[in-house]
């Protein structure tokens, strides 16, 4: 995931979340954003069960960006964290300009699907 993190390292659009702060909640209406974790750690929970803890370079919220449906998980900053918001237009640009980014997002989607099936 180091390629992904390098794409956003100098961004001025990152949003800060304090330790314990909820980024989004399972079932919430999508705001059309996914995020790339630039700094920190975020816990991903499904039905209250921890399914993953992600670090810099990982993405979250991609399912709701793709289908505009409700959030399928809850994301909580484990420590102080900075996340880069990515809307649909920016996502399309990144996929066109950096095909590897699209592959990383697909890998994440598959991993989360497998984790949720085991949750």
């Amino acid at each position: 995931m180091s390629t992904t993190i390098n794409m956003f390292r100098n961004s001025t659009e990152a949003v800060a979340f304090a330790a314990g702060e909820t980024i989004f909640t399972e079932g919430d209406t999508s705001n059309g954003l996914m995020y790339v974790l630039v700094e920190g750690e975020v816990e991903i929970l499904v039905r209250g069960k921890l399914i993953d803890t992600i670090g810099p370079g990982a993405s979250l919220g991609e399912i709701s960006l793709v289908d505009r449906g409700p959030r399928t998980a809850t994301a909580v900053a484990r420590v102080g964290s900075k996340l880069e918001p990515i809307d649909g237009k920016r996502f399309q640009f990144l996929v066109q300009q950096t095909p590897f980014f699209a592959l990383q997002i697909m890998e994440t989607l598959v991993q989360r699907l497998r984790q949720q099936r085991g949750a």
Side-chain angles (χ1 to χ4, degrees):
M1 291 279 184
S2 61
T3 302
T4 301
I5 192 72
N6 288 335
M7 291 170 49
F8 303 104
R9 192 163 300 282
N10 297 319
S11 173
T12 58
E13 298 178 28
V15 179
F17 290 87
E21 190 173 354
T22 299
I23 299 159
F24 53 78
T25 302
E26 183 176 357
D28 282 356
T29 302
S30 169
N31 60 356
L33 293 176
M34 66 169 273
Y35 301 89
V36 172
L37 183 56
V38 178
E39 291 179 18
E41 289 184 345
V42 171
E43 294 180 336
I44 307 297
L45 301 103
V46 174
R47 294 181 297 281
K49 181 179 178 184
L50 179 67
I51 63 162
D52 201 3
T53 300
I54 61 172
S59 63
L60 57 150
E62 56 285 309
I63 293 172
S64 291
L65 174 72
V66 172
D67 74 358
R68 299 278 184 184
R71 296 288 186 185
T72 60
T74 297
V76 178
R78 184 169 184 227
V79 297
S81 301
K82 289 185 181 177
L83 290 92
E84 183 73 19
I86 300 174
D87 63 13
K89 184 176 178 181
R90 188 172 184 195
F91 177 77
Q92 288 178 353
F93 175 81
L94 289 167
V95 167
Q96 289 173 349
Q97 297 299 312
T98 315
F100 186 70
F101 178 75
L103 290 173
Q104 288 183 313
I105 297 303
M106 285 188 279
E107 283 179 20
T108 298
L109 288 168
V110 169
Q111 288 172 349
R112 298 254 167 78
L113 178 61
R114 289 182 189 278
Q115 288 167 330
Q116 287 183 20
R117 294 183 94 193

